[in-house]
Amino acid sequence: MDEVVIGVGATITVNVAGKVGIPASGVASVAVNIAASGRTSSGEVVAYPSGVAKPETTAVWFPELFYAHNLIFVKVGADGNIKLTNNDESSTVKVFVDAHGYTMSAPGSVAGSTLVPVKPARIGQVTVPANGSALVAPLGKAGIPSSGVSSALFTLSGKSDTNGLIVTYPSGEAQPGDTTLDYGKGLVVQNQIIGRLGTDGQIKITNMGTKAITLYLDATGYFAKPTAAVKGSTIAPITPDNLVTDVTVPANGTYTVGPLGHGGVPASDVSGVYLAITNYYSSGSGVLRVYPSGTAAPATHAVAFQQTRAYSGMLPAKLGADGKINIWNDSSSPIRLWVDQYAYFKTPKTGCTGALAPTGAKTETKASVAAPEPYNPMTVFQASPTAVGSLGVLELAYTDGIGRLMHGRADPNALGSTQWTPIQGQEGYYGQPALGEQADGRLNILAHNLSGDIWSRTQATKEPAAWGNWIDVNQAMGSTVTVARQDDALVAFAVDAAGALRALPQYAANDPYQGWITLGVTGLSTATAPLAIPVADGLRLFFLDASGSWRTALYARGTVSGCATLSDQGFSGNASVVTYPGSRLRIFVRGTDGHILTKTQDGSGNFPQAWDQVGDLIAAGSPSAVVSPGSGKTEVVVRGTDDRVHSTGETVQGSGAWRAWADAQPADDTSAPATDPTAFEYVGTNGSTWSYVFRTINQEPRFYWPEGETLQLAKSSPTFEGRALPKAPAAR
């Protein structure tokens, strides 16, 4: 709508369905920018769905003879229309209505983007020249990922000593005919923006004014593409609902809003709400800062205000852990506050279907401050090569009995050159650490800090290898951590102190971890870290519940589904999983009687009910398995009750028929494993092979490799050679 005049107290109908690219049916809400200007005085415009009574809310507060803007998600009536009412009793109001997007009441034939609200943070500022343009690149800033983003949501604010217009649009596209923001001499102005990105990931801002203007961009969320690493929330519009009416907030005071369970917003499974915030005739100037409860206040603008004027602003507000939102009056005078909500953001459905943990199962928990665990297994993997024809180094990590986190690097052809470096800094760690490789090849390590949190550290450069800073990913976990790759992004997994399964995703390749998300699976053991295995359609997770039953589920872009129970109760320890072509998996666990058990997915991806016993060995620890690159057979090693490592493997590829268990250490080797062995595949100058490592009671790392392995129908295990790796440096 262009320049439509709404009479005093009058209502107009805006036809939404079938207009400007919006579907003719099935539309739940429309994102519209409403620009309103009073002819003889100020007042308010109310926006709401057709077919319902006018609510006591404010969509935009308009001044006299100047256009105020608000971008708002408005629920669409059953007839495809929305209503606009001029609530002023003395002045007509002239309005423009521009569409910026829409949501559907049911999934469409083409998947749309989903909203990820973030804690407000400043993207930056930009000075746009007079009658000119500037480009803004929001990706990778203020909580917005560096890829997988279709649009950025941000508050655009500024002030000038002249009049003009601002237009925002995707870089590389023609300038549209609408206006994002009007600015006037000496006035503070702002508006919420859905900044659709150009193909270069940038947004263009054009200044239709005679002087340059400096604008501030404060991120409030982003729209994730359907192919993004993590699925965002869907937008569920409601009939506009008043949360707060004329509350006085003192100077420098904070008011807390609790939207859950109010006005059509559910009591749970909500990540945020879309709010309209109005400050009515304050006596001074200042800024309202809106942020999740329980977090520190940001240096961002939600609504900026000046003396003797009313201001309204919209934004998607992320909820705190307690489901509430803080509004801070950052000014030297009290304000009068109204808060309305127009939509909520429904978190993606996640959790398990299928067998659940037995009722009454108690969850194990760990103290928030733990003691070092001296004999946890080592983590090993081979990094990608740094150049064509080169071999990737072997990366090793473990924590020792005094809380040091040791990182080792080894040439796969010269293991005697292994170099160990303590990388814990001033902190202490426990449990088996996790190693992952960023999309750009830099090593990432995650470890359980003695405080209870998982800490993350990534190399600043791969060659020469140099570490960046430690990052504390706040929120205590009960289990240790594991990490795997989904597409080009890493995802870590752990069980929190309450027994709930959590994921820690990168939202884009090489990005920092954003924070733990809950996956809707509870009642798990904290004694065992989840295991994550890449498969064709996501990550296959294996985890132990508090009753000792092994369970599995599929993780895909922030959600889990299809949970199945794999065992009876009473199991403990860690699982090991190998992958066969076609993303078929075989899992190995230690049974309740100490025997090693296994089962394999069938052609439809399901695991059989029964376990197969692997030989007669009674194990003292958890198994570790690999598919031998040389023979294609599945090989297993495990610590026995005799303080020796034992080995078995298939007699024929994929047969599930096993050789007799045999000692996997040379006869003259007197080293006793104090940790469970870790088997791994790697590539050396002579080709692909596999080996295993453990540590002794004196923290001496030991390395073993098979000799004489062939493709023949071998009935006996290969012989093994072994050697001590260089020791880690002594503690200082």
Side-chain angles (χ1 to χ4, degrees):
M1 279 187 167
D2 288 338
E3 289 191 290
V4 173
V5 175
I6 308 176
V8 175
T11 299
I12 63 170
T13 299
V14 182
N15 183 217
V16 170
K19 302 294 184 181
V20 295
I22 299 171
S25 61
V27 178
S29 69
V30 61
V32 289
N33 185 47
I34 302 173
S37 173
R39 298 298 86 195
T40 59
S41 68
S42 60
E44 62 180 356
V45 171
V46 183
Y48 53 102
S50 177
V52 304
K54 178 179 71 70
E56 296 300 320
T57 55
T58 300
V60 58
W61 186 273
F62 58 82
E64 181 181 351
L65 299 178
F66 181 79
Y67 282 99
H69 293 251
N70 264 344
L71 183 89
I72 182 172
F73 279 90
V74 184
K75 185 176 183 179
V76 175
D79 58 1
N81 300 326
I82 64 173
K83 299 282 190 179
L84 299 181
T85 295
N86 174 12
N87 242 19
D88 193 67
E89 298 178 352
S90 61
S91 174
T92 60
V93 60
K94 187 180 290 186
V95 299
F96 290 78
V97 182
D98 300 319
H100 286 246
Y102 62 90
T103 68
M104 302 295 288
S105 56
S109 57
V110 178
S113 297
T114 50
L115 179 63
V116 182
V118 300
K119 179 182 176 180
R122 180 144 293 171
I123 297 172
Q125 66 184 59
V126 60
T127 298
V128 191
N131 295 307
S133 300
L135 292 174
V136 174
L139 295 180
K141 301 172 183 175
I144 299 173
S146 57
S147 65
V149 176
S150 64
S151 300
L153 272 77
F154 55 92
T155 299
L156 186 69
S157 60
K159 183 179 180 181
S160 177
D161 60 2
T162 187
N163 298 335
L165 306 174
I166 296 295
V167 183
T168 62
Y169 50 102
S171 172
E173 296 189 9
Q175 181 176 326
D178 67 337
T179 299
T180 303
L181 192 63
D182 282 57
Y183 60 88
K185 185 176 181 179
L187 297 178
V188 174
V189 292
Q190 76 262 314
N191 194 15
Q192 184 68 200
I193 309 296
I194 299 178
R196 189 161 59 87
L197 305 182
T199 55
D200 60 358
Q202 298 187 94
I203 300 166
K204 194 169 188 178
I205 301 179
T206 295
N207 174 19
M208 300 168 65
T210 58
K211 287 188 177 181
I213 183 171
T214 297
L215 299 170
Y216 299 89
L217 292 79
D218 294 328
T220 53
Y222 64 91
F223 280 102
K225 293 179 179 179
T227 55
V230 175
K231 187 180 297 184
S233 302
T234 53
I235 298 174
I238 60 174
T239 299
D241 170 59
N242 177 247
L243 277 173
V244 177
T245 302
D246 199 8
V247 170
T248 298
V249 183
N252 202 37
T254 300
Y255 188 84
T256 300
V257 179
L260 296 180
H262 196 288
V265 176
S268 61
D269 300 326
V270 175
S271 63
V273 290
Y274 204 88
L275 295 182
I277 298 174
T278 303
N279 168 36
Y280 185 78
Y281 290 127
S282 63
S283 60
S285 300
V287 175
L288 299 183
R289 309 191 192 277
V290 179
Y291 55 101
S293 175
T295 68
T300 56
H301 292 183
V303 180
F305 55 88
Q306 293 170 287
Q307 189 172 355
T308 70
R309 291 200 60 189
Y311 281 82
S312 59
M314 317 290 299
L315 81 163
K318 183 178 181 179
L319 301 182
D322 60 358
K324 297 180 180 180
I325 300 160
N326 287 340
I327 302 174
W328 175 28
N329 172 20
D330 188 5
S331 76
S332 58
S333 61
I335 63 165
R336 295 170 62 189
L337 180 69
W338 279 255
V339 180
D340 306 316
Q341 56 185 356
Y342 285 77
Y344 65 91
F345 313 132
K346 187 176 181 181
T347 54
K349 185 175 179 58
T350 188
C352 283
T353 56
L356 302 176
T359 57
K362 294 184 178 179
T363 302
E364 305 167 29
T365 59
K366 290 193 175 185
S368 59
V369 177
E373 297 175 346
Y375 302 123
N376 52 81
M378 284 196 284
T379 303
V380 186
F381 87 96
Q382 187 170 26
S384 58
T386 56
V388 176
S390 66
L391 296 174
V393 300
L394 294 179
E395 306 279 7
L396 306 92
Y398 69 89
T399 60
D400 67 12
I402 58 174
R404 292 187 304 171
L405 177 56
M406 308 304 303
H407 169 236
R409 304 188 87 215
D411 181 336
N413 296 311
L415 292 167
S417 66
T418 303
Q419 295 180 336
W420 294 98
T421 305
I423 61 170
Q424 79 279 354
Q426 300 301 313
E427 300 293 326
Y429 296 88
Y430 72 94
Q432 185 175 5
L435 292 174
E437 191 174 64
Q438 304 275 24
D440 61 9
R442 292 175 299 135
L443 184 67
N444 172 242
I445 189 167
L446 299 114
H448 207 153
N449 191 278
L450 294 179
S451 68
D453 291 354
I454 302 297
W455 285 43
S456 168
R457 195 177 193 186
T458 297
Q459 287 177 333
T461 57
K462 182 173 181 176
E463 289 296 338
W467 288 101
N469 294 326
W470 279 104
I471 297 175
D472 179 0
V473 186
N474 288 312
Q475 190 168 355
M477 292 295 116
S479 77
T480 51
V481 63
T482 190
V483 70
R485 176 77 63 82
Q486 182 188 16
D487 301 325
D488 288 331
L490 295 174
V491 189
F493 299 91
V495 178
D496 69 19
L501 182 62
R502 299 271 185 165
L504 180 66
Q506 284 183 320
Y507 285 54
N510 307 313
D511 276 7
Y513 295 108
Q514 297 287 345
W516 292 99
I517 60 175
T518 184
L519 296 177
V521 182
T522 57
L524 302 188
S525 169
T526 58
T528 300
L531 187 62
I533 307 296
V535 292
D537 46 1
L539 297 172
R540 173 59 60 177
L541 304 182
F542 298 88
F543 40 87
L544 199 64
D545 71 22
S547 72
S549 294
W550 280 104
R551 296 168 63 187
T552 184
L554 180 69
Y555 173 92
R557 295 185 171 86
T559 64
V560 297
S561 60
C563 193
T565 298
L566 300 180
S567 75
D568 294 331
Q569 300 177 18
F571 284 68
S572 61
N574 298 310
S576 184
V577 176
V578 297
T579 305
Y580 300 134
S583 294
R584 294 175 299 118
L585 306 180
R586 178 186 285 276
I587 180 175
F588 294 87
V589 299
R590 180 176 180 270
T592 55
D593 60 359
H595 288 108
I596 301 303
L597 306 177
T598 185
K599 62 173 64 176
T600 307
Q601 283 178 310
D602 60 24
S604 61
N606 296 317
F607 285 93
Q609 183 176 3
W611 291 89
D612 295 325
Q613 183 173 308
V614 182
D616 297 326
L617 178 75
I618 301 297
S622 299
S624 186
V626 295
V627 175
S628 167
S631 68
K633 302 171 186 175
T634 304
E635 300 287 339
V636 188
V637 290
V638 70
R639 181 166 51 95
T641 56
D642 57 354
D643 288 332
R644 302 283 288 181
V645 173
H646 296 260
S647 162
T648 187
E650 291 178 302
T651 58
V652 176
Q653 290 181 349
S655 65
W658 307 96
R659 305 184 304 261
W661 286 96
D663 194 327
Q665 297 177 233
D668 59 351
D669 181 8
T670 60
S671 300
T675 71
D676 286 339
T678 299
F680 58 96
E681 306 167 34
Y682 67 100
V683 180
T685 301
N686 296 326
S688 299
T689 186
W690 71 278
S691 299
Y692 74 87
V693 292
F694 65 72
R695 295 193 318 284
T696 68
I697 193 171
N698 293 319
Q699 299 291 345
E700 177 188 52
R702 300 282 304 179
F703 173 85
Y704 297 83
W705 62 95
E707 293 282 358
E709 193 178 35
T710 70
L711 287 170
Q712 299 175 0
L713 303 182
K715 297 294 185 182
S716 61
S717 293
T719 57
F720 287 83
E721 295 293 330
R723 61 160 298 159
L725 296 179
K727 285 187 177 182
R732 292 182 293 175

